[in-house]
Amino acid sequence: MLVTVITPCFNSEKTIRRTIESVLHQTYQDIEYLIIDGASTDKTVEIAKSYEEAFHGRMHIYSEKDEGIYYAMNKGIGLAKGELIGIVNSDDYYEREAVEKIAEQRTAAPYQILYGFERILNEGQETTIVIHHHTNLPNQMITHPTCFVTKKLYEDKGVFHTDYRYSADYEFMLRMYRDEQVTFTPVYELISNYALGGASGTGAAYLETMGLLCKYGTISRKRYRLTVLKYWIGKLVRG
């Protein structure tokens, strides 16, 4: 079974080498690797190209201006040839047996999402190893950096909605959670390592996520409005 791994990136020269090497050294070898770069101005693409020979034709690099990370993810999904697709961001990295452990749990289900344990790092130090079960998706996003999704699911059910700047992955999973044809499969193995920081931890991301939960009925409109009000009051107090 061919597995496609996608790395969306932009100006990631400080971290992308570790990401690429984590894919290169997987124990599972039937991998197609796509680098989707947003026209980086640093050495990101140069570093990626230095690994092309090591991948023996299995790595493909695309670099052009885009509108952000979810556009890059959707582009990679469209280009992917694998039956199963994983996305590892350019500041994250897989465990050596990650793809093998996921592939072992692949079933005949056409619309399958597999996910596992994630190690969370803060400035390089381990803080938590966690898995959030899909049955709690209305309240808590599953560990998206560990997710592998069937190509057919993306083709038939849709990809990331790019009108969300920070929470399109959560919105996608909530859509899939509501679809009775979709199978979620927890894999109780350490799959990915996730570095804290970036846009997902900002106040804007928090408000967008709360708005998403309101849209899907997890929280009331009243609670959402109070959350927004408290956020802006707190921001004014903090100056």
Side-chain angles (χ1 to χ4, degrees):
M1 176 182 66
L2 179 64
V3 177
T4 297
V5 174
I6 300 166
T7 292
C9 56
F10 178 71
N11 287 349
S12 306
E13 64 179 9
K14 293 181 180 179
T15 58
I16 196 168
R17 189 179 299 277
R18 181 177 63 181
T19 306
I20 293 171
E21 290 192 357
S22 79
V23 178
L24 176 62
H25 298 301
Q26 286 297 301
T27 55
Y28 189 92
Q29 288 297 299
D30 197 5
I31 294 174
E32 169 195 53
Y33 190 30
L34 307 181
I35 302 284
I36 310 297
D37 178 71
S40 290
T41 57
D42 65 359
K43 295 182 179 180
T44 299
V45 175
E46 179 183 333
I47 292 169
K49 286 183 176 180
S50 72
Y51 284 91
E52 285 182 307
E53 185 176 345
F55 276 90
H56 302 292
R58 296 182 295 117
M59 171 190 265
H60 307 282
I61 302 167
Y62 303 87
S63 183
E64 60 185 7
K65 189 174 177 60
D66 58 36
E67 299 300 319
I69 190 168
Y70 296 116
Y71 287 86
M73 289 179 182
N74 287 344
K75 178 179 176 180
I77 291 165
L79 293 165
K81 295 181 174 64
E83 177 182 327
L84 204 59
I85 300 173
I87 299 173
V88 57
N89 290 336
S90 58
D91 53 353
D92 304 332
Y93 59 100
Y94 285 142
E95 289 293 298
R96 182 172 170 80
E97 297 182 350
V99 179
E100 181 178 356
K101 296 295 186 183
I102 292 290
E104 287 174 352
Q105 299 300 316
R106 172 73 177 111
T107 69
Y111 307 128
Q112 187 177 18
I113 297 173
L114 303 102
Y115 65 98
F117 279 95
E118 171 184 81
R119 178 187 285 116
I120 299 175
L121 304 167
N122 187 6
E123 296 183 353
Q125 296 298 312
E126 176 181 302
T127 62
T128 310
I129 294 178
V130 64
I131 186 171
H132 299 297
H133 201 271
H134 65 274
T135 54
N136 194 40
L137 254 169
N139 302 300
Q140 174 71 60
M141 175 57 168
I142 60 176
T143 46
H144 187 245
T146 74
C147 287
F148 285 74
V149 179
T150 56
K151 170 77 169 177
K152 186 167 178 58
L153 185 150
Y154 284 127
E155 289 175 338
D156 294 353
K157 304 292 185 181
V159 292
F160 299 104
H161 287 175
T162 54
D163 48 340
Y164 289 95
R165 186 177 178 185
Y166 307 102
S167 308
D169 50 350
Y170 195 5
E171 192 279 334
F172 172 82
M173 291 299 172
L174 286 171
R175 257 189 292 139
M176 297 307 107
Y177 178 72
R178 288 186 167 191
D179 191 322
E180 294 182 355
Q181 292 185 311
V182 175
T183 300
F184 284 85
T185 304
V187 177
Y188 296 107
E189 301 282 353
L190 182 58
I191 301 299
S192 184
N193 299 274
Y194 169 74
L196 287 174
S200 62
T202 65
Y206 170 71
L207 292 181
E208 184 177 276
T209 299
M210 295 304 288
L212 176 62
L213 293 178
C214 179
K215 174 184 175 180
Y216 277 86
T218 297
I219 64 173
S220 67
R221 185 170 295 276
K222 180 179 179 181
R223 181 181 170 188
Y224 170 63
R225 288 173 176 169
L226 285 172
T227 298
V228 173
L229 181 61
K230 287 179 181 179
Y231 171 80
W232 286 112
I233 290 173
K235 192 167 184 178
L236 286 170
V237 169
R238 292 189 299 270

